[in-house]
């Protein structure tokens, strides 16, 4: 891919993202998309256990508490873990657009350290769409939703079909996920995106 293809700046003919008519209402808790997901899965013992809620327009809010197993430097969150939290929050935008997409590019800025025990308050919004590309941004704050910015990101997500995961994932996990009728129902509903 060339630098132009992976730019985080939407092209001039990009369009505003559209909230799907069946998207969760603002304030509604968004469920985990997969129980074993490192970002949002309840069955992932060392995961983020990030919880996200639908926001206004095509935006979400989320929170996660930095635990001792998330540290890099003594007493501080690992930078890669903070990038994962931003990525997970950005991925939650799929719920609002009823789109299945994957991260194509994620650029993260680290503004201040995030200590173990801190709650990271995240917001994300979809800014533009161009074909299968979704341009979005996220911010993570400590000390409350209006606290100082600790991390921020700009991202490019690329819309895919559910077969992307079926064709590339490990067979055991794919079979377990596809055995869950709610997972299959959500995935197929998102593919019928008007």
């Amino acid at each position: 891919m060339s630098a132009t293809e992976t730019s985080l700046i939407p092209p001039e003919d990009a369009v505003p993202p559209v909230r799907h008519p069946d998207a969760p209402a603002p304030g509604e808790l968004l469920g985990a998309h997969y129980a074993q997901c490192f970002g949002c899965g309840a069955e992932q013992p060392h995961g983020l256990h990030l919880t996200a809620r639908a926001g206004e327009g095509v935006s979400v809010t989320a929170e996660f508490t930095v635990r001792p197993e998330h540290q890099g430097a003594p007493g501080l969150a690992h930078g890669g873990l903070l990038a994962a939290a931003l990525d997970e929050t950005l991925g939650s935008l799929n719920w609002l657009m009823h789109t299945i997409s994957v991260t194509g590019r994620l650029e993260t800025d680290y503004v201040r350290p995030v200590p173990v025990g801190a709650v990271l308050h995240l917001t994300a919004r979809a800014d533009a769409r161009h074909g299968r590309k979704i341009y979005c941004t996220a911010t993570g704050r400590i000390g409350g939703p209006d606290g100082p910015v600790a991390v921020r990101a700009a991202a490019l997500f690329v819309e895919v079909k559910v077969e992307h995961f079926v064709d590339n994932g490990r067979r055991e996990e794919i079979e377990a996920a596809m055995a869950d009728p709610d997972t299959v129902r959500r995935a197929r509903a998102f593919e019928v995106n008007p």
Side-chain angles (χ1 to χ4, degrees), residues 8 21 100 102 118-119 133 135 149-150 162 185 188-191:
L8 296 173
I100 301 171
V102 295
V119 176
K133 295 178 180 180
Y135 298 84
V149 173
V162 73
R185 178 185 50 78
R188 292 299 176 196
F190 284 15
E191 285 189 333

Side-chain angles (χ1 to χ4, degrees), residues 4-179:
T4 305
E5 291 176 296
T6 60
S7 173
L8 296 173
I9 301 170
E12 289 183 23
D13 59 342
V15 297
V18 176
R19 185 186 185 102
H20 192 277
D22 296 329
E28 189 173 327
L29 188 64
L30 305 176
H33 65 273
Y34 175 55
Q36 289 293 326
C37 174
F38 179 79
C40 64
E43 294 178 20
Q44 190 56 258
H46 298 296
L48 302 180
H49 300 164
L50 186 137
T51 56
R53 293 186 180 278
E56 297 291 333
V58 187
S59 71
V60 297
T61 60
E63 291 182 0
F64 95 95
T65 301
V66 179
R67 299 189 316 266
E69 58 267 29
H70 298 148
Q71 63 190 312
L76 298 173
H78 188 284
L81 180 108
L82 296 174
L86 290 162
D87 184 53
E88 184 67 28
T89 304
L90 289 158
S92 296
L93 294 166
N94 287 325
W95 289 90
L96 304 181
M97 295 180 285
H98 278 220
T99 300
I100 301 171
S101 67
V102 295
T103 311
R105 182 169 181 199
L106 177 69
E107 187 174 294
T108 305
D109 296 317
Y110 301 93
V111 180
R112 63 177 17 96
V114 179
V116 169
V119 176
L120 191 63
H121 300 268
L122 299 127
T123 57
R125 74 171 188 267
D127 300 313
R129 287 195 71 146
H130 188 262
R132 294 176 43 223
K133 295 178 180 180
I134 303 165
Y135 298 84
C136 41
T137 52
T139 303
R141 297 172 180 271
I142 55 176
D146 297 320
V149 173
V151 291
R152 62 179 164 250
L156 170 67
F157 276 66
V158 180
E159 186 174 354
V160 297
K161 299 292 184 193
V162 73
E163 284 73 23
H164 169 84
F165 305 100
V166 173
D167 294 344
N168 296 294
R170 285 190 340 166
R171 181 182 197 122
E172 308 82 57
E173 283 86 357
I174 295 299
E175 288 174 358
M178 298 308 273

